[in-house]
Amino acid sequence: MNTTALEYIVFFAASLMMLGGAVGVVLFRNPVHAALGLVLTLFGVAVHFVAQEAHFLAAVQVIVYAGAIVVLFLFVIMLLGVDKAVDLTIEPIPIQRPLAAVMTVGLVGLITAAVVKAGDAIGTLNPGLGIDVAGDIGRDGQVVSSDGNIQQLARNLYNDHVLAFQLTSVLLIVAVAGTVLLTRKWPKQGAAA
Amino acid sequence: MIAAIEPTWYLIVASLLFGIGAFGLLVRRNPLVMFMCIELMLNAANLTFVAFATSLGDINGQTAVFFVLVVAAAEVVVGLGILVSILRRRPGATADDLAELKG
Amino acid sequence: MVELVWLIPAFPLLGFVAILLGGRKLGEPLAGLFATAMVAASFVVAVLIYLDLLGMDEAERSHTETLFSWVPVGDLQIDMAFLVDPLSITMCLFVTGIGALIHLYSIGYMHGDPKFSKFFLYLNLFVLSMTLLVLGSNLLVTFLGWEGVGTCSYLLISFWHTKDANATAGKKAFVTNRVGDFGVMLAMFLAFGAVGSIDYAVINDSALAGTLTTATATGIAALLFLGAVGKSAQLPLYVWLPDAMAGPTPVSALIHAATMVTAGVFLMVRINPVLGAAADWVPTTVAWVGAITALFAATIALAQNDIKKVLAYSTVSQLGYMFLAVGTGAYVAAIFHMVTHAFFKALLFLGSGSVIHGMHDEQDMRKMGKLFKLMPITASTFIVGWLAIAGVPPFAGFWSKDEILLFAGAENWALYAIGIVTAILTAFYMTRQVVMTFFGEQKWGSYANEEEAADLEVADDDEPVATHGAHGEFKPHESPPFMVIPLVVLAGLSIVGGIIQLPSLGIIPKNWQHKLLDWLHPLVEFEGSPVEGIGEAHIEDTTAYDMKVLLIFVAIGAALLGIAAGWAVYQKKLAKPIEPELLERGWGYDAAISWFMGKPGREAFQATADFDSTVVDGAVNGVATAVRETAQGVRKGQTGYVRQYAGVIGIGVVLLLGWFVVIRGLL
């Protein structure tokens, strides 16, 4: 399958958004600006998801991440009043920035090297998991599935990973309950909040 | 005409994202921004999962992303709750205030 | 009967345990009688075994009786085993025999002492150790006995340890012995390393067969001689013996005259093949050390005033004779002299003990005199001992000393000369002692010694405290039967003891000659071996042998000369006695040792201690300091900053990843 120019442009635009947002998160002095950078990154990732025909995930990404989590971030920032610009030049640990730089460069470099070397072992992209592609030829030359992405995902989730699913729901409840307890302001009887 | 977009590219891009997130985590001192960098890293992982799911033709990769998403949400909730509790009492706190292990 | 050899040490062991548990209940004199009975029983067993051995062929007289396997460790197999052969039985006979007599004597001597039972406890322990020493079939059993007698010597010398001088004397004996013991231990290690065993049979056979290298034999012989020098009080380790007189007199008689000090000579005779296989300088050194010690000690004895100290130096001197014999290869002569010396020296010591007892614990001869009529039996037996040691025929000492001198002359006329001079001196100082004690002028008054005099003076002036005698006067008296009987027995032995080894002179019937040589010679004479074991036949081609008869007369003459000189100077007062203070202080030897240990010795020890505290301790402490400094350095990495820790974790991840990618070959 040949890639069309559009796909190219989509790929690079999405990557640009993603990486640009990330850089923004790291470099903006105001936490609110950083949160906005995060939103940009999340959108970029969502576009990548769509490009790989993981439509459901793209939707969920936007709704949950960008819609809920980042909003939560902004709420907390506003609540605590830390929405002032911070001085980024202060660094009490002198070795920290070189350390971080070394680590980042090493990590990215090594992964890139490994991935590039692996090359063909990773396989080619064969989007047979999208919505409108009933009868698409999969990796082995056979028809992958006639279901759409959501159906496949649902089938996999509720058949093979039902236990994990249930546990995750418990996790959510516990998280919420725990957080409410954590942040509650106790009546003043000597107990700390 | 042009080379196909290999899954390799996605992996490289994801690793870049991960690197930036890691760098930010180590360098920024504001706890909330550090949290956001963690989210960046999680997203990088998600992207990797999906790239592999597509290249291997296996839906389990996307299921994994699903779960990562859920857990990340829960984690943010709890984490921010803790942060609120702390920052309410000490408004100017940064990660460097945790220096009890100094020895 | 030979299988019953284990009874010989078993009886004293039984005595030791019984008195240990119930000594206080037994009390006086039962504890003493029991102990004596035990030793006497050992003597009886020894006699029976001796008769048994006599009935056997000469070649079959060596038996090993193994009791149990003592140290079975890999290549090192040591058994608790006894070697029954003529030499060990001879030693056993006179050890247990004289031991029994001295036990009997002690019942009388220690009468009234509050630690009566304890004395016999130690005495039995001593006899046990000594029998182990002589019966042992390997160096380790002998060493066990060796150390045992050393310990008993210490315990018994410092028996009255409430007096500082006695305790110090005991310590001195122990420490000096220890120096020698070091040599014995090294010899054991060397023997094991060379032949893989410390059995006498194995070592001696190896020496005879020539498989023992000269170097090894030299080493073993020299080291064992070092041990012998310590135990048998030769130069330079003799210093403990005169001080050991601080112990009760029976102890001096038993341990420091008859038995323990002969252990060194016994050991040298036991390993005589090794001595023969060693380099020539070893026996020569042994002979010269013996000769010089004999002369040295005899000169010191001339000027001693304590009745026991004279005998102590005399013992050192006579032991020198025995080593002279060993060094010239006359092993039988050495054993002969050991036996006769045991008789007359024990007699002399017990006699002096009787005198001391009768004089109410006075030991200074200058306060004695004219005791002959008051203590007749003691005096007569003492005179027998005197004649024996001086070397007057037909008493025992003459025969043994003469044989030693013969072999000395065959070896080297200088040794002979030293021997003769020493003989003259021996006769001289013994005469001096007899005169000062029993004849001469009466130097004691109505008090026994200064302590009693002080008591008398503070008492009522009109009525002197009645100690003895009809008119409230002090009078020396004869000793009770317990003490006198052993004296008589030993005197008899001193008279006839020479019979066991009469020389080969024409006038003596052939089958009365050389009985000891015939008895012992399988152990010291070996046919067709490259090693020299000597009987008289081996020196047939020397001048000394040709002049045998002449030498006998020279020896007799020397003895009589010494006696006459002593009589003239001390009894008849024909000349002034020469007793230089130098000799009285023992040529300053003790003082020299004290000075050496006090100054250079102490400085050397101090240097070693300093070395230990600075270098050794410094190294140990230095390690600790180094660790601490390193820890301080590492500590700087613990800043407490969580972000830094996270960064370090990240670096770790990178390294791990790097290892996978680079080394595991993804690249």
Side-chain angles (χ1 to χ4, degrees):
Chain A
M1 280 204 315
N2 268 335
T3 329
T4 61
L6 191 56
E7 289 173 351
Y8 236 65
I9 296 172
V10 165
F11 179 83
F12 275 110
S15 299
L16 208 61
M17 281 164 60
M18 196 172 71
L19 294 175
V23 170
V25 167
V26 174
L27 290 183
F28 278 134
R29 282 180 293 195
N30 193 323
V32 177
H33 299 168
L36 293 175
L38 183 63
V39 170
L40 189 58
T41 302
L42 295 172
F43 270 118
V45 172
V47 172
H48 273 303
F49 283 174
V50 171
Q52 294 182 74
E53 315 236 353
H55 307 295
F56 178 70
L57 285 180
V60 169
Q61 167 94 349
V62 171
I63 295 172
V64 171
Y65 248 122
I69 291 179
V70 174
V71 169
L72 193 56
F73 264 113
L74 285 168
F75 271 159
V76 171
I77 292 175
M78 298 304 175
L79 180 65
L80 294 176
V82 292
D83 54 337
K84 297 174 212 50
V86 196
D87 188 355
L88 280 183
T89 53
I90 307 172
E91 177 56 79
I93 311 166
I95 201 179
Q96 188 69 358
R97 290 193 185 170
L99 195 67
V102 165
M103 188 199 90
T104 308
V105 167
L107 205 56
V108 172
L110 281 171
I111 295 180
T112 310
V115 161
V116 164
K117 182 67 186 239
D120 295 330
I122 297 183
T124 53
L125 277 177
N126 44 354
L129 307 163
I131 291 184
D132 301 327
V133 282
D136 248 359
I137 309 297
R139 196 135 74 124
D140 308 319
Q142 289 156 327
V143 175
V144 174
S145 164
S146 53
D147 284 333
N149 177 257
I150 296 185
Q151 279 95 323
Q152 281 185 38
L153 194 55
R155 219 175 281 263
N156 183 285
L157 185 63
Y158 287 104
N159 285 334
D160 297 337
H161 304 294
V162 116
L163 182 61
F165 182 78
Q166 300 294 346
L167 289 177
T168 315
S169 59
V170 171
L171 175 69
L172 282 174
I173 305 230
V174 167
V176 169
T179 309
V180 168
L181 224 65
L182 260 179
T183 54
R184 191 180 159 156
K185 273 198 182 139
W186 296 97
K188 292 247 164 107
Q189 279 166 4
Chain B
M1 330 184 288
I2 329 166
I5 301 181
E6 303 283 326
T8 313
W9 296 14
Y10 281 106
L11 296 181
I12 295 177
V13 163
S15 73
L16 264 173
L17 183 60
F18 187 87
I20 295 174
F23 183 80
L25 180 61
L26 290 179
V27 169
R28 293 298 297 253
R29 292 158 69 234
N30 187 333
L32 284 159
V33 177
M34 288 169 80
F35 226 122
M36 290 182 221
C37 295
I38 294 177
E39 296 307 316
L40 288 179
M41 291 196 277
L42 281 168
N43 274 286
N46 284 348
L47 189 56
T48 312
F49 266 125
V50 171
F52 271 115
T54 319
S55 89
L56 295 174
D58 193 348
I59 196 71
N60 280 301
Q62 298 192 5
T63 317
V65 172
F66 182 86
F67 281 115
V68 168
L69 216 49
V70 171
V71 173
E75 169 214 347
V76 165
V77 166
V78 177
L80 285 179
I82 295 174
L83 273 178
V84 161
S85 317
I86 294 175
L87 288 173
R88 220 192 257 160
R89 301 245 287 155
R90 304 208 240 170
T94 61
D96 292 335
D97 294 343
L98 261 178
E100 308 282 325
L101 283 177
K102 183 176 174 61
Chain C
M1 272 323 290
V2 170
E3 321 78 62
L4 294 182
V5 70
W6 59 273
L7 281 178
I8 298 185
F11 277 121
L13 178 63
L14 175 63
F16 172 70
V17 172
I19 299 182
L20 183 67
L21 297 174
R24 220 174 290 246
K25 281 202 212 79
L26 283 176
E28 201 183 319
L30 268 181
L33 286 169
F34 181 68
T36 312
M38 290 292 107
V39 181
S42 284
F43 178 67
V44 168
V45 175
V47 168
L48 289 174
I49 298 181
Y50 166 70
L51 293 173
D52 206 14
L53 281 185
L54 263 187
M56 297 182 195
D57 253 355
E58 254 179 23
E60 292 174 14
R61 280 190 186 147
S62 190
H63 299 259
T64 309
E65 300 295 322
T66 310
L67 288 186
F68 52 87
S69 175
W70 189 15
V71 181
V73 181
D75 283 340
L76 184 64
Q77 297 287 329
I78 306 181
D79 297 328
M80 175 64 76
F82 297 135
L83 179 59
V84 182
D85 67 5
L87 178 63
S88 59
I89 284 299
T90 311
M91 299 288 299
C92 270
L93 280 174
F94 82 78
V95 165
T96 51
I98 296 187
L101 287 172
I102 294 182
H103 273 74
L104 193 62
Y105 181 91
S106 309
I107 301 178
Y109 191 81
M110 300 300 285
H111 169 69
D113 193 301
K115 296 203 291 181
F116 186 85
S117 310
K118 203 180 242 191
F119 190 72
F120 287 96
L121 180 75
Y122 293 152
L123 275 187
N124 263 15
L125 183 63
F126 173 81
V127 176
L128 164 69
S129 307
M130 192 70 200
T131 48
L132 276 181
L133 197 160
V134 300
L135 282 174
S137 85
N138 57 59
L139 276 169
L140 194 62
V141 177
T142 300
F143 191 63
L144 176 66
W146 189 276
E147 294 291 325
V149 298
T151 310
C152 292
S153 172
Y154 162 76
L155 290 169
L156 285 164
I157 292 174
S158 43
F159 190 69
W160 293 312
H161 53 77
T162 44
K163 263 181 79 175
D164 261 349
N166 300 341
T168 310
K171 278 185 284 185
K172 187 173 184 177
F174 200 81
V175 172
T176 319
N177 265 199
R178 212 77 192 107
V179 177
D181 294 346
F182 172 67
V184 178
M185 282 195 277
L186 284 181
M188 274 199 286
F189 302 152
L190 193 56
F192 177 66
V195 293
S197 165
I198 53 174
D199 262 6
Y200 290 125
V202 176
I203 299 177
N204 286 343
D205 285 342
S206 164
L208 286 174
T211 53
L212 201 61
T213 60
T214 312
T216 315
T218 307
I220 297 178
L223 288 168
L224 286 176
F225 180 57
L226 175 62
V229 162
K231 189 65 81 182
S232 298
Q234 299 296 292
L235 276 173
L237 295 174
Y238 77 92
V239 290
W240 62 273
L241 191 50
D243 283 17
M245 297 301 115
T249 312
V251 172
S252 308
L254 181 61
I255 300 183
H256 307 126
T259 45
M260 180 179 109
V261 293
T262 56
V265 182
F266 162 75
L267 189 62
M268 297 309 291
V269 173
R270 185 44 106 200
I271 53 135
N272 69 77
V274 179
L275 196 56
D280 279 338
W281 61 264
V282 179
T284 312
T285 311
V286 174
W288 277 97
V289 167
I292 294 179
T293 307
L295 184 60
F296 182 82
T299 55
I300 300 179
L302 291 178
Q304 297 300 312
N305 291 315
D306 184 317
I307 193 173
K308 282 171 68 176
K309 282 241 163 66
V310 176
L311 296 174
Y313 282 108
S314 169
T315 305
V316 177
S317 182
Q318 297 299 311
L319 287 168
Y321 270 115
M322 291 183 222
F323 278 105
L324 172 59
V326 168
T328 53
Y331 303 111
V332 177
I335 300 291
F336 185 26
H337 197 60
M338 188 198 295
V339 175
T340 58
H341 174 262
F343 293 151
F344 57 69
K345 193 45 69 66
L347 169 62
L348 287 169
F349 264 112
L350 294 185
S352 70
S354 176
V355 169
I356 294 170
H357 178 82
M359 290 287 293
H360 272 229
D361 297 329
E362 175 60 66
Q363 294 188 225
D364 193 329
M365 292 193 295
R366 293 173 292 196
K367 299 203 177 68
M368 302 180 186
K370 274 220 168 12
L371 292 176
F372 185 82
K373 291 217 174 45
L374 297 167
M375 309 168 94
I377 308 182
T378 305
S380 326
T381 53
F382 202 92
I383 287 171
V384 170
W386 163 51
L387 292 174
I389 194 176
V392 174
F395 296 94
F398 161 69
W399 306 103
S400 54
K401 200 180 286 192
D402 171 64
E403 187 158 346
I404 295 180
L405 289 174
L406 174 64
F407 279 92
E411 172 88 6
N412 187 333
W413 285 111
L415 289 172
Y416 179 80
I418 294 179
I420 281 289
V421 171
T422 310
I424 299 176
L425 289 176
T426 306
F428 182 79
Y429 67 68
M430 286 310 298
T431 312
R432 167 178 177 264
Q433 180 173 31
V434 169
V435 166
M436 278 174 84
T437 311
F438 295 109
F439 301 104
E441 293 164 10
Q442 174 177 327
K443 298 262 177 57
W444 46 273
S446 58
Y447 53 85
N449 53 35
E450 269 134 30
E451 287 158 21
E452 278 203 15
D455 284 341
L456 282 175
E457 277 163 26
V458 300
D460 226 8
D461 278 313
D462 298 332
E463 298 288 328
V465 174
T467 53
H468 288 266
H471 307 288
E473 266 187 6
F474 161 74
K475 228 175 148 183
H477 59 88
E478 188 57 84
S479 302
F482 270 132
M483 291 168 66
V484 161
I485 293 175
L487 290 178
V488 173
V489 174
L490 285 170
L493 286 171
S494 300
I495 298 175
V496 303
I499 248 181
I500 58 177
Q501 172 80 341
L502 293 175
S504 54
L505 294 180
I507 50 171
I508 301 174
K510 259 279 188 263
N511 59 346
W512 282 66
Q513 289 179 9
H514 296 310
K515 293 209 97 59
L516 190 63
L517 177 63
D518 293 337
W519 173 241
L520 286 181
H521 88 87
L523 296 171
V524 299
E525 257 187 278
F526 308 98
E527 301 289 344
S529 70
V531 177
E532 291 181 39
I534 300 187
E536 221 176 75
H538 288 241
I539 57 166
E540 261 164 7
D541 51 351
T542 59
T543 355
Y545 189 74
D546 295 332
M547 308 199 312
K548 219 166 44 152
V549 181
L550 176 62
L551 291 181
I552 290 183
F553 282 109
V554 171
I556 299 178
L560 292 174
L561 173 64
I563 294 179
W567 198 263
V569 172
Y570 289 96
Q571 176 73 352
K572 300 288 185 200
K573 302 272 195 256
L574 289 178
K576 203 155 172 291
I578 316 169
E579 294 174 12
E581 200 208 323
L582 179 66
L583 291 183
E584 191 182 347
R585 291 188 305 122
W587 296 89
Y589 192 81
D590 259 336
I593 294 183
S594 302
W595 174 84
F596 176 72
M597 281 301 157
K599 286 203 65 248
R602 170 154 280 167
E603 276 161 30
F605 302 144
Q606 192 63 39
T608 316
D610 288 341
F611 177 79
D612 176 60
S613 66
T614 48
V615 174
V616 177
D617 283 353
V620 172
N621 291 343
V623 168
T625 312
V627 169
R628 194 171 50 234
E629 295 299 316
T630 315
Q632 290 284 49
V634 170
R635 194 184 178 203
K636 293 202 180 73
Q638 304 287 327
T639 53
Y641 288 123
V642 182
R643 294 193 295 130
Q644 186 185 316
Y645 294 167
V648 173
I649 294 177
I651 296 285
V653 169
V654 170
L655 289 174
L656 197 60
L657 195 59
W659 180 74
F660 270 112
V661 170
V662 172
I663 300 183
R664 285 272 283 171
L666 288 184
L667 264 183

